[in-house]
């Protein structure tokens, strides 16, 4: 399985944002593109993918490829799925998630809780625009890619990642947006073993 | 220079579409993502890129990285740039382009005209989800990637590409959306010479 943990520093925790201004809603445009990049292929959905959207270290929305329904490629409808999850956040008690739409689960879970759960399930790889290029990394069987939105990590997040991440890499020679990094990470794994110029 | 020629089969030729329903406006959501994927890096713009958006074989909107201003990462504001170009399309006479916003030019130019101009400037590479994987292609110095929106090419377009394209490849083992293909194509060129597993 491929997993992505996406840190959202400015995203709303309430559903009262405007679908007409996603950049103004804590860069929900970027977060929506990350979600679609993680799951959608041309005429196909990657079922073997899980994405954790960790909002302000308070709420986590989990997207499960095996159960997802109603995910379309555009930003607006994807942001609406996030909004539907936020509508149900009040019902999430303790660590128990609430399913807001098929394959989307919201819970009161911190970054640390999410990362500790994931690290038991695979190799935690931090995708970071200033990390070393991914030339020496043999693609792990069950990668958990950790990446940030448009913000740098806080000191606390840096320290947590330093403890928990197994690798820190960037995927090319240029600094990519988070959604582009997800697309390239998938392609890197899809084409493992290809020779290239 | 890297160029992209993007065939839009259903996109509007008039600016009267709704920014609230980009998928319904001939998949302007996808086309907007293609434009941003072609030009935007994290905190940087790829100046050495040109993108030709060929709409219904009638209108061509050219985006010049060296002169582009006002391109943001989200779909809605990018679609608004397309709308601003369509507002000025009536002023385009013959092959003379009209600059609608800085670095965006609209003209009455067909696919064939666009491709014939580009083919003198570089290697025409068709990106096609059913093409052979890009394992044997040495990255060309001045690639012109030709790709389609959500539609397959028409018989006439197929025939034109068969005449003019130098290569036909896909960039991975999975069938990607056009915007994902642009991101991967950039990364493929950015990392030319990298060894990999």
């Amino acid at each position: 399985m491929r997993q992505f943990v996406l840190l959202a520093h400015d995203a709303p925790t309430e559903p009262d944002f405007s679908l007409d201004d996603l950049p103004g809603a804590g860069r929900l445009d970027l977060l929506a593109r990350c979600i679609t990049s993680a799951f959608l292929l041309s005429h196909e959905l990657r079922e073997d993918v899980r994405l954790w959207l960790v909002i302000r270290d308070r709420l986590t929305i989990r997207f499960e490829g095996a159960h997802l329904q109603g995910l379309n490629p555009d930003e607006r409808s994807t942001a609406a799925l996030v909004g539907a999850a936020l509508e149900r956040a009040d019902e999430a008690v303790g660590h128990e998630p609430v399913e807001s739409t098929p394959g989307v689960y919201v819970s009161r879970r911190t970054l640390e809780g999410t990362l500790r759960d994931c690290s038991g399930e695979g190799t935690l790889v931090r995708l970071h625009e200033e990390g070393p290029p991914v030339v020496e990394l043999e693609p792990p069987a069950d990668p958990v890619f950790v990446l940030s939105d448009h913000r740098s990590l806080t000191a606390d997040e840096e320290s947590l990642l330093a403890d928990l991440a197994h690798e820190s890499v960037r995927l090319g020679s240029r600094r990519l947006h988070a959604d582009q990094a997800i697309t390239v990470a998938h392609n890197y794994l899809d084409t493992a073993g290809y020779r290239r110029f």
Side-chain angles (χ1 to χ4, degrees), chain A residues 141-166:
Chain A
D142 293 298
V144 183
F145 295 108
V146 185
L147 68 173
S148 187
D149 57 4
H150 58 298
R151 296 254 182 241
S152 301
L153 297 193
T154 65
D156 285 352
E157 290 165 348
E158 285 285 359
S159 151
L160 193 62
L161 266 291
D163 275 357
L164 294 177
H166 302 102

PDB file of all heavy atoms in Angstrom, chain A residues 141-166:
ATOM      1  N   ALA A 141       8.531  -1.064  -0.318  1.00  0.00           N
ATOM      2  CA  ALA A 141       7.314  -1.810  -0.678  1.00  0.00           C
ATOM      3  C   ALA A 141       6.068  -1.082  -0.177  1.00  0.00           C
ATOM      4  O   ALA A 141       5.050  -1.029  -0.866  1.00  0.00           O
ATOM      5  CB  ALA A 141       7.384  -3.208  -0.092  1.00  0.00           C
ATOM      6  N   ASP A 142       6.131  -0.535   1.008  1.00  0.00           N
ATOM      7  CA  ASP A 142       4.964   0.129   1.603  1.00  0.00           C
ATOM      8  C   ASP A 142       5.341   1.524   2.089  1.00  0.00           C
ATOM      9  O   ASP A 142       5.444   1.771   3.292  1.00  0.00           O
ATOM     10  CB  ASP A 142       4.421  -0.712   2.763  1.00  0.00           C
ATOM     11  CG  ASP A 142       3.828  -2.018   2.281  1.00  0.00           C
ATOM     12  OD1 ASP A 142       2.849  -1.968   1.513  1.00  0.00           O
ATOM     13  OD2 ASP A 142       4.356  -3.076   2.650  1.00  0.00           O
ATOM     14  N   PRO A 143       5.539   2.443   1.162  1.00  0.00           N
ATOM     15  CA  PRO A 143       5.984   3.775   1.571  1.00  0.00           C
ATOM     16  C   PRO A 143       4.865   4.588   2.204  1.00  0.00           C
ATOM     17  O   PRO A 143       3.695   4.476   1.830  1.00  0.00           O
ATOM     18  CB  PRO A 143       6.403   4.414   0.243  1.00  0.00           C
ATOM     19  CG  PRO A 143       5.559   3.733  -0.781  1.00  0.00           C
ATOM     20  CD  PRO A 143       5.352   2.324  -0.288  1.00  0.00           C
ATOM     21  N   VAL A 144       5.237   5.373   3.189  1.00  0.00           N
ATOM     22  CA  VAL A 144       4.336   6.377   3.762  1.00  0.00           C
ATOM     23  C   VAL A 144       5.019   7.722   3.516  1.00  0.00           C
ATOM     24  O   VAL A 144       5.986   8.070   4.187  1.00  0.00           O
ATOM     25  CB  VAL A 144       4.155   6.159   5.274  1.00  0.00           C
ATOM     26  CG1 VAL A 144       3.149   7.177   5.828  1.00  0.00           C
ATOM     27  CG2 VAL A 144       3.708   4.733   5.587  1.00  0.00           C
ATOM     28  N   PHE A 145       4.544   8.447   2.524  1.00  0.00           N
ATOM     29  CA  PHE A 145       5.163   9.722   2.183  1.00  0.00           C
ATOM     30  C   PHE A 145       4.564  10.818   3.059  1.00  0.00           C
ATOM     31  O   PHE A 145       3.332  10.954   3.139  1.00  0.00           O
ATOM     32  CB  PHE A 145       4.929  10.063   0.715  1.00  0.00           C
ATOM     33  CG  PHE A 145       5.596   9.114  -0.247  1.00  0.00           C
ATOM     34  CD1 PHE A 145       4.850   8.211  -0.986  1.00  0.00           C
ATOM     35  CD2 PHE A 145       6.971   9.133  -0.422  1.00  0.00           C
ATOM     36  CE1 PHE A 145       5.454   7.338  -1.881  1.00  0.00           C
ATOM     37  CE2 PHE A 145       7.597   8.266  -1.313  1.00  0.00           C
ATOM     38  CZ  PHE A 145       6.839   7.368  -2.039  1.00  0.00           C
ATOM     39  N   VAL A 146       5.417  11.592   3.681  1.00  0.00           N
ATOM     40  CA  VAL A 146       4.956  12.689   4.537  1.00  0.00           C
ATOM     41  C   VAL A 146       5.334  13.990   3.845  1.00  0.00           C
ATOM     42  O   VAL A 146       6.499  14.183   3.465  1.00  0.00           O
ATOM     43  CB  VAL A 146       5.629  12.632   5.919  1.00  0.00           C
ATOM     44  CG1 VAL A 146       5.045  13.711   6.833  1.00  0.00           C
ATOM     45  CG2 VAL A 146       5.445  11.247   6.538  1.00  0.00           C
ATOM     46  N   LEU A 147       4.360  14.861   3.642  1.00  0.00           N
ATOM     47  CA  LEU A 147       4.666  16.126   2.981  1.00  0.00           C
ATOM     48  C   LEU A 147       3.793  17.248   3.501  1.00  0.00           C
ATOM     49  O   LEU A 147       2.739  17.017   4.080  1.00  0.00           O
ATOM     50  CB  LEU A 147       4.601  16.006   1.464  1.00  0.00           C
ATOM     51  CG  LEU A 147       3.293  15.779   0.718  1.00  0.00           C
ATOM     52  CD1 LEU A 147       3.558  15.871  -0.793  1.00  0.00           C
ATOM     53  CD2 LEU A 147       2.701  14.409   0.993  1.00  0.00           C
ATOM     54  N   SER A 148       4.272  18.458   3.287  1.00  0.00           N
ATOM     55  CA  SER A 148       3.607  19.630   3.836  1.00  0.00           C
ATOM     56  C   SER A 148       2.900  20.408   2.725  1.00  0.00           C
ATOM     57  O   SER A 148       3.209  20.253   1.544  1.00  0.00           O
ATOM     58  CB  SER A 148       4.641  20.523   4.521  1.00  0.00           C
ATOM     59  OG  SER A 148       3.998  21.585   5.192  1.00  0.00           O
ATOM     60  N   ASP A 149       1.944  21.223   3.122  1.00  0.00           N
ATOM     61  CA  ASP A 149       1.252  22.103   2.186  1.00  0.00           C
ATOM     62  C   ASP A 149       2.208  23.204   1.734  1.00  0.00           C
ATOM     63  O   ASP A 149       3.395  22.962   1.533  1.00  0.00           O
ATOM     64  CB  ASP A 149      -0.026  22.651   2.838  1.00  0.00           C
ATOM     65  CG  ASP A 149       0.261  23.401   4.145  1.00  0.00           C
ATOM     66  OD1 ASP A 149       1.436  23.572   4.520  1.00  0.00           O
ATOM     67  OD2 ASP A 149      -0.705  23.834   4.810  1.00  0.00           O
ATOM     68  N   HIS A 150       1.765  24.431   1.612  1.00  0.00           N
ATOM     69  CA  HIS A 150       2.600  25.544   1.146  1.00  0.00           C
ATOM     70  C   HIS A 150       3.505  26.071   2.264  1.00  0.00           C
ATOM     71  O   HIS A 150       4.327  26.950   2.024  1.00  0.00           O
ATOM     72  CB  HIS A 150       1.699  26.657   0.617  1.00  0.00           C
ATOM     73  CG  HIS A 150       0.732  27.159   1.657  1.00  0.00           C
ATOM     74  ND1 HIS A 150      -0.228  26.352   2.222  1.00  0.00           N
ATOM     75  CD2 HIS A 150       0.606  28.359   2.255  1.00  0.00           C
ATOM     76  CE1 HIS A 150      -0.918  27.050   3.113  1.00  0.00           C
ATOM     77  NE2 HIS A 150      -0.433  28.265   3.156  1.00  0.00           N
ATOM     78  N   ARG A 151       3.335  25.583   3.479  1.00  0.00           N
ATOM     79  CA  ARG A 151       4.113  26.072   4.622  1.00  0.00           C
ATOM     80  C   ARG A 151       5.280  25.137   4.925  1.00  0.00           C
ATOM     81  O   ARG A 151       5.214  23.944   4.695  1.00  0.00           O
ATOM     82  CB  ARG A 151       3.235  26.123   5.874  1.00  0.00           C
ATOM     83  CG  ARG A 151       2.091  27.090   5.774  1.00  0.00           C
ATOM     84  CD  ARG A 151       2.363  28.328   6.617  1.00  0.00           C
ATOM     85  NE  ARG A 151       1.238  29.221   6.546  1.00  0.00           N
ATOM     86  CZ  ARG A 151       1.300  30.459   6.060  1.00  0.00           C
ATOM     87  NH1 ARG A 151       2.449  30.959   5.629  1.00  0.00           N
ATOM     88  NH2 ARG A 151       0.231  31.219   6.027  1.00  0.00           N
ATOM     89  N   SER A 152       6.322  25.712   5.517  1.00  0.00           N
ATOM     90  CA  SER A 152       7.385  24.882   6.068  1.00  0.00           C
ATOM     91  C   SER A 152       6.887  24.243   7.354  1.00  0.00           C
ATOM     92  O   SER A 152       5.901  24.689   7.950  1.00  0.00           O
ATOM     93  CB  SER A 152       8.609  25.743   6.382  1.00  0.00           C
ATOM     94  OG  SER A 152       9.067  26.385   5.220  1.00  0.00           O
ATOM     95  N   LEU A 153       7.569  23.198   7.775  1.00  0.00           N
ATOM     96  CA  LEU A 153       7.185  22.552   9.022  1.00  0.00           C
ATOM     97  C   LEU A 153       7.533  23.447  10.215  1.00  0.00           C
ATOM     98  O   LEU A 153       8.497  24.211  10.172  1.00  0.00           O
ATOM     99  CB  LEU A 153       7.925  21.227   9.176  1.00  0.00           C
ATOM    100  CG  LEU A 153       7.655  20.152   8.134  1.00  0.00           C
ATOM    101  CD1 LEU A 153       8.203  18.810   8.614  1.00  0.00           C
ATOM    102  CD2 LEU A 153       6.175  20.008   7.848  1.00  0.00           C
ATOM    103  N   THR A 154       6.745  23.348  11.253  1.00  0.00           N
ATOM    104  CA  THR A 154       7.075  24.027  12.503  1.00  0.00           C
ATOM    105  C   THR A 154       8.238  23.284  13.174  1.00  0.00           C
ATOM    106  O   THR A 154       8.566  22.151  12.792  1.00  0.00           O
ATOM    107  CB  THR A 154       5.874  24.007  13.466  1.00  0.00           C
ATOM    108  OG1 THR A 154       5.611  22.640  13.821  1.00  0.00           O
ATOM    109  CG2 THR A 154       4.629  24.601  12.819  1.00  0.00           C
ATOM    110  N   ALA A 155       8.823  23.924  14.184  1.00  0.00           N
ATOM    111  CA  ALA A 155       9.931  23.281  14.911  1.00  0.00           C
ATOM    112  C   ALA A 155       9.476  21.958  15.528  1.00  0.00           C
ATOM    113  O   ALA A 155      10.203  20.954  15.495  1.00  0.00           O
ATOM    114  CB  ALA A 155      10.462  24.232  15.983  1.00  0.00           C
ATOM    115  N   ASP A 156       8.267  21.928  16.071  1.00  0.00           N
ATOM    116  CA  ASP A 156       7.762  20.686  16.663  1.00  0.00           C
ATOM    117  C   ASP A 156       7.595  19.589  15.610  1.00  0.00           C
ATOM    118  O   ASP A 156       7.911  18.420  15.863  1.00  0.00           O
ATOM    119  CB  ASP A 156       6.401  20.937  17.339  1.00  0.00           C
ATOM    120  CG  ASP A 156       6.556  21.669  18.667  1.00  0.00           C
ATOM    121  OD1 ASP A 156       7.716  21.839  19.130  1.00  0.00           O
ATOM    122  OD2 ASP A 156       5.526  22.078  19.232  1.00  0.00           O
ATOM    123  N   GLU A 157       7.082  19.983  14.467  1.00  0.00           N
ATOM    124  CA  GLU A 157       6.892  18.983  13.405  1.00  0.00           C
ATOM    125  C   GLU A 157       8.243  18.470  12.908  1.00  0.00           C
ATOM    126  O   GLU A 157       8.406  17.271  12.650  1.00  0.00           O
ATOM    127  CB  GLU A 157       6.092  19.603  12.254  1.00  0.00           C
ATOM    128  CG  GLU A 157       4.631  19.860  12.606  1.00  0.00           C
ATOM    129  CD  GLU A 157       3.920  20.800  11.635  1.00  0.00           C
ATOM    130  OE1 GLU A 157       4.604  21.449  10.801  1.00  0.00           O
ATOM    131  OE2 GLU A 157       2.677  20.908  11.718  1.00  0.00           O
ATOM    132  N   GLU A 158       9.193  19.383  12.761  1.00  0.00           N
ATOM    133  CA  GLU A 158      10.541  18.988  12.343  1.00  0.00           C
ATOM    134  C   GLU A 158      11.110  17.953  13.304  1.00  0.00           C
ATOM    135  O   GLU A 158      11.692  16.944  12.890  1.00  0.00           O
ATOM    136  CB  GLU A 158      11.482  20.212  12.323  1.00  0.00           C
ATOM    137  CG  GLU A 158      11.293  21.165  11.164  1.00  0.00           C
ATOM    138  CD  GLU A 158      11.845  20.634   9.838  1.00  0.00           C
ATOM    139  OE1 GLU A 158      12.392  19.518   9.816  1.00  0.00           O
ATOM    140  OE2 GLU A 158      11.688  21.344   8.831  1.00  0.00           O
ATOM    141  N   SER A 159      10.945  18.225  14.567  1.00  0.00           N
ATOM    142  CA  SER A 159      11.509  17.343  15.581  1.00  0.00           C
ATOM    143  C   SER A 159      10.831  15.971  15.550  1.00  0.00           C
ATOM    144  O   SER A 159      11.471  14.916  15.648  1.00  0.00           O
ATOM    145  CB  SER A 159      11.369  18.052  16.933  1.00  0.00           C
ATOM    146  OG  SER A 159      11.243  17.151  17.957  1.00  0.00           O
ATOM    147  N   LEU A 160       9.520  15.968  15.359  1.00  0.00           N
ATOM    148  CA  LEU A 160       8.769  14.709  15.261  1.00  0.00           C
ATOM    149  C   LEU A 160       9.231  13.895  14.057  1.00  0.00           C
ATOM    150  O   LEU A 160       9.465  12.677  14.143  1.00  0.00           O
ATOM    151  CB  LEU A 160       7.279  15.052  15.141  1.00  0.00           C
ATOM    152  CG  LEU A 160       6.264  13.939  15.314  1.00  0.00           C
ATOM    153  CD1 LEU A 160       6.351  13.329  16.704  1.00  0.00           C
ATOM    154  CD2 LEU A 160       4.854  14.495  15.085  1.00  0.00           C
ATOM    155  N   LEU A 161       9.382  14.580  12.930  1.00  0.00           N
ATOM    156  CA  LEU A 161       9.818  13.881  11.711  1.00  0.00           C
ATOM    157  C   LEU A 161      11.244  13.365  11.856  1.00  0.00           C
ATOM    158  O   LEU A 161      11.581  12.284  11.361  1.00  0.00           O
ATOM    159  CB  LEU A 161       9.718  14.805  10.491  1.00  0.00           C
ATOM    160  CG  LEU A 161       8.448  14.765   9.633  1.00  0.00           C
ATOM    161  CD1 LEU A 161       8.377  13.443   8.880  1.00  0.00           C
ATOM    162  CD2 LEU A 161       7.180  14.934  10.444  1.00  0.00           C
ATOM    163  N   ALA A 162      12.073  14.158  12.520  1.00  0.00           N
ATOM    164  CA  ALA A 162      13.460  13.710  12.737  1.00  0.00           C
ATOM    165  C   ALA A 162      13.465  12.403  13.527  1.00  0.00           C
ATOM    166  O   ALA A 162      14.271  11.505  13.282  1.00  0.00           O
ATOM    167  CB  ALA A 162      14.256  14.784  13.459  1.00  0.00           C
ATOM    168  N   ASP A 163      12.539  12.269  14.461  1.00  0.00           N
ATOM    169  CA  ASP A 163      12.429  11.034  15.243  1.00  0.00           C
ATOM    170  C   ASP A 163      11.875   9.872  14.427  1.00  0.00           C
ATOM    171  O   ASP A 163      12.355   8.746  14.551  1.00  0.00           O
ATOM    172  CB  ASP A 163      11.438  11.243  16.410  1.00  0.00           C
ATOM    173  CG  ASP A 163      12.101  11.854  17.621  1.00  0.00           C
ATOM    174  OD1 ASP A 163      13.329  12.069  17.573  1.00  0.00           O
ATOM    175  OD2 ASP A 163      11.383  12.113  18.614  1.00  0.00           O
ATOM    176  N   LEU A 164      10.847  10.145  13.629  1.00  0.00           N
ATOM    177  CA  LEU A 164      10.053   9.040  13.084  1.00  0.00           C
ATOM    178  C   LEU A 164      10.336   8.689  11.628  1.00  0.00           C
ATOM    179  O   LEU A 164      10.114   7.544  11.219  1.00  0.00           O
ATOM    180  CB  LEU A 164       8.556   9.356  13.234  1.00  0.00           C
ATOM    181  CG  LEU A 164       8.039   9.429  14.678  1.00  0.00           C
ATOM    182  CD1 LEU A 164       6.572   9.819  14.691  1.00  0.00           C
ATOM    183  CD2 LEU A 164       8.221   8.079  15.379  1.00  0.00           C
ATOM    184  N   ALA A 165      10.789   9.654  10.825  1.00  0.00           N
ATOM    185  CA  ALA A 165      10.937   9.368   9.393  1.00  0.00           C
ATOM    186  C   ALA A 165      12.184   8.525   9.139  1.00  0.00           C
ATOM    187  O   ALA A 165      13.220   8.726   9.761  1.00  0.00           O
ATOM    188  CB  ALA A 165      10.994  10.660   8.592  1.00  0.00           C
ATOM    189  N   HIS A 166      12.043   7.577   8.224  1.00  0.00           N
ATOM    190  CA  HIS A 166      13.178   6.719   7.880  1.00  0.00           C
ATOM    191  C   HIS A 166      14.067   7.362   6.822  1.00  0.00           C
ATOM    192  O   HIS A 166      15.263   7.097   6.769  1.00  0.00           O
ATOM    193  CB  HIS A 166      12.670   5.368   7.382  1.00  0.00           C
ATOM    194  CG  HIS A 166      11.806   4.647   8.360  1.00  0.00           C
ATOM    195  ND1 HIS A 166      10.438   4.598   8.263  1.00  0.00           N
ATOM    196  CD2 HIS A 166      12.122   3.972   9.489  1.00  0.00           C
ATOM    197  CE1 HIS A 166       9.948   3.893   9.270  1.00  0.00           C
ATOM    198  NE2 HIS A 166      10.939   3.503  10.034  1.00  0.00           N
TER     199      HIS A 166
END
